Amino acid sequence: MDGRGRFGAGVVVREVRDGRGRLTVAGDCGVDAEQLRAGLGAAAAGNWSDLTRWPGSYWVLAEQFGGGDRFVCGDLAGVRGIWHAHDRREGVVWSSDPGALAARVGASVDLEVLAAHLAVGEQHWPARSRWAGVWRVPPGWGLLLAGGTARLVDVRGIEPAADPVAGASRLGEALTTAVQRRVRAAGGPVGADLSGGLDSAAAVLLAAKAGPVRAVTYTDAWTSAEDASYAVRVARHAGIEHTIARGGPGELPFGLDAAPPTVEPAPAVINLGLDRCYLEPVAGLPLHLTGHGGDVVLDSSAACWVGQVQRGAVRDARRAAVDFARLRNLGSGPYWRSLKRAAGTAPERAAAEVAARLRSGVPSAETVGWAWCRPGPGAGWLTEHGRHAVAQLLDGAWAEPLHGAFADEVDQWSALRAAGDDARTCAPLYEAIGIRPVYPFLDNEVVRAAFAIEPSARRGTYTYKPVLAAAVPLPDWLIGRRSKGSFTAQRIQGLARHRRALEELVADSALVAAGLVDAARVRAALADAATGRSADPIADLHHLAATCWWLCGPVAAPARAAAGC
């Protein structure tokens, strides 16, 4: 993909050059002309990671004149993604649009990869795309083209904080810059989500100090009234304009009518009716702040204790994990034993064990705590052919040196990629309703500052997201909140309302036509979830519905033809 169009229509592109080469940044890059020109020196010296350390979320392309190297990179979260493939005439080609790249090289959607994502998650294949023959540059890595070859370059560059206090201070500075730089540049009112949770509240409170903010909140009969009350209190504290939209049955999730096509499966399509409802008052504003990604950078999973055990800090891990389990009635003995088992199991072995279970026809196993590979309810919806296909993909999943050695590092980068994917794929949906979302929690320097703090220090045993309170000045009544609203009742109602349409969507999908997914098993899971008998399948039903809806669109048309749809 050549020229400025390689980054998509409407993207701000800035370029500088000298006798050594050319440097291009595209997207939201908070760098002035002098700093950008100074980047030419870093590019000439091959200091690629230096080009990713400016505020914002952007792509960077560095080209050395005289037949030198070319380097292209997105952001650490993957909101600005890069894909590459081999073209018979031109060799390695790359693009920020995987669908356009797939069309260029004649690649078709890889239905077996989609089935694997449903069954065991996407984290096992960070370099695989949804198209056969098209490869993803994993977020946190750049693509270096030199001498007719292509290789990945690690640009993550996490420098461990001296202690949690110093780390929280750096995180606060990075987050404040990420929010307030954008608000000041907007030159007028900006929109903002205000769910009542810590992440969106922190973003709104920081934004209100830099310019006018119009916050919006969604509520309905099935969501937490406590969330809305906290949102009202935050808005009053900040002194900003605030609108609460109350949705009804027509805004329930899983209604997929009138959604624009997306380049990749977009989980946000499931909630598009809800989004249309509450975002209408801020449509057309220069930008819309969200707290998306806060759960990833401000918190960590039980993998933090697995990582501690791997590093030898067994006593510290046991004390924190047992306290965490007891406070939540999880059964501290089984919980701790599962973490120790994960710490003593190589990820390749864990994947091989799941592959063997898939081949035997018993894909799921009860797992508490954390596991390298955990089949979800969706694994039980695969056909025999589907199970064998996913097992074969798992066999080679951990061969590439892209994952990392420690469970906590692997898990946080996997979670970051997932958050970036959600943000990237929803862009066409928000564009259609006049919203320009930004994700300050996913900016490179915010991510680096957060990941510099040990995952175990970000995991709150007694308090929720302890580093946020140390990083950003928040009112005590907000920091002290211990509850979090649930959307389970809302999603159950949505599944019940749209159950028949979802059954037809899955039954007519390329995944079923290709013999990978059993429509009858999905129907049974839908019935259980829609009647409230089990909430376990809801997340995987969300994933499957978004995937099947995408497979009905123009980008995936070749896959439908290949599957006989």
Side-chain angles (χ1 to χ4, degrees), residues 136-529:
R136 182 181 188 179
V137 177
W141 298 72
L143 183 68
L144 182 63
L145 304 169
T149 64
R151 67 181 178 90
L152 297 177
V153 178
D154 189 347
V155 298
R156 290 172 291 184
I158 306 300
E159 301 170 1
D163 58 71
V165 174
S169 177
R170 181 186 166 202
L171 173 59
E173 292 172 1
L175 183 59
T176 299
T177 298
V179 173
Q180 295 184 351
R181 176 187 67 83
R182 290 179 166 103
V183 175
R184 293 190 179 105
V190 303
D193 283 346
L194 185 53
S195 68
L198 291 178
D199 306 338
S200 63
V204 163
L205 290 170
L206 288 172
K209 295 178 180 180
V213 178
R214 297 177 184 172
V216 287
T217 301
Y218 178 85
T219 189
D220 60 27
W222 303 278
T223 53
S224 167
E226 185 184 24
D227 279 350
S229 67
Y230 267 94
V232 169
R233 195 171 180 184
V234 170
R236 287 175 180 167
H237 183 84
I240 60 171
E241 183 179 337
H242 182 214
T243 303
I244 297 180
R246 184 169 184 85
E251 285 73 47
L252 285 169
F254 293 99
L256 299 173
D257 295 337
T262 59
V263 174
E264 299 174 84
V269 73
I270 299 301
N271 299 312
L272 188 57
L274 179 158
D275 290 339
R276 282 196 184 106
C277 172
Y278 88 98
L279 292 172
E280 192 275 333
V282 291
L285 292 180
L287 60 86
H288 185 80
L289 289 166
T290 81
H292 180 70
D295 285 342
V296 176
V297 299
L298 300 175
D299 202 352
S300 64
S301 74
C304 71
W305 299 312
V306 178
Q308 282 187 305
V309 175
Q310 289 178 300
R311 294 179 178 90
V314 180
R315 288 185 179 180
D316 290 344
R318 186 182 187 281
R319 181 170 56 251
V322 168
D323 286 350
F324 183 91
R326 285 173 176 167
L327 286 169
R328 292 157 181 81
N329 297 317
L330 295 177
S332 59
Y335 190 79
W336 170 242
R337 286 192 294 273
S338 76
L339 300 181
K340 282 191 67 178
R341 189 182 313 116
T345 304
E348 302 92 326
R349 178 184 168 190
E353 290 173 353
V354 172
R357 292 208 305 271
L358 286 166
R359 290 186 173 103
S360 70
V362 187
S364 61
E366 188 66 28
T367 304
V368 295
W370 185 87
W372 291 101
C373 185
R374 188 200 304 261
W381 308 337
L382 299 178
T383 63
E384 181 179 3
H385 168 56
R387 293 196 306 273
H388 280 268
V390 174
Q392 187 171 354
L393 285 169
L394 278 173
D395 287 339
W398 289 82
E400 300 171 352
L402 298 173
H403 296 279
F406 297 104
D408 47 5
E409 294 177 357
V410 169
D411 192 74
Q412 69 182 8
W413 285 100
S414 296
L416 181 67
R417 287 195 300 269
D421 287 348
D422 284 350
R424 183 186 67 253
T425 57
C426 74
L429 306 177
Y430 284 138
E431 182 180 0
I433 56 178
I435 299 296
R436 300 175 179 86
V438 293
Y439 309 95
F441 285 100
L442 298 181
D443 276 12
N444 282 2
E445 291 307 284
V446 176
V447 170
R448 285 193 174 102
F451 285 4
I453 304 170
E454 288 186 9
S456 58
R458 304 200 311 270
R459 183 69 165 173
T461 301
Y462 306 101
T463 59
Y464 187 50
K465 297 181 180 176
V467 298
L468 180 59
V472 177
L474 300 175
D476 291 341
W477 51 264
L478 181 61
I479 295 171
R481 185 179 181 188
R482 298 290 181 267
S483 58
K484 187 174 182 179
S486 170
F487 290 90
T488 300
Q490 181 203 57
R491 299 172 87 187
I492 289 172
Q493 289 293 323
L495 287 167
R497 181 178 177 86
H498 301 290
R499 177 177 164 186
R500 299 305 177 197
L502 291 169
E503 288 177 351
E504 293 176 6
L505 176 70
V506 173
D508 293 340
S509 75
L511 289 170
V512 170
L516 294 165
V517 170
D518 186 329
R521 294 176 182 174
V522 176
R523 279 199 304 273
L526 269 168
D528 285 346

Side-chain angles (χ1 to χ4, degrees), residues 108-112 507-516 551 556-565:
S108 59
V109 171
D110 193 329
L111 294 172
E112 293 183 355
D508 293 340
S509 75
L511 289 170
V512 170
L516 294 165
L551 284 168
R560 296 198 304 275
C565 294

Side-chain angles (χ1 to χ4, degrees), residues 529-546:
T531 56
R533 287 194 293 267
S534 174
D536 292 343
I538 292 178
D540 283 2
L541 287 170
H542 185 144
H543 181 125
L544 180 60

Side-chain angles (χ1 to χ4, degrees), residues 78-121:
V79 180
R80 313 281 186 176
I82 295 291
W83 289 261
H84 62 102
H86 183 81
D87 184 272
R88 293 178 183 177
R89 294 172 296 177
E90 300 182 41
V92 177
V93 290
W94 64 269
S95 177
S96 62
D97 183 335
L101 187 59
R104 175 174 179 170
V105 300
S108 59
V109 171
D110 193 329
L111 294 172
E112 293 183 355
V113 163
L114 294 180
H117 290 175
L118 170 68
V120 295

Side-chain angles (χ1 to χ4, degrees), residues 109 131 550-561:
V109 171
W131 287 265
W550 177 71
L551 284 168
C552 292
V555 175
R560 296 198 304 275

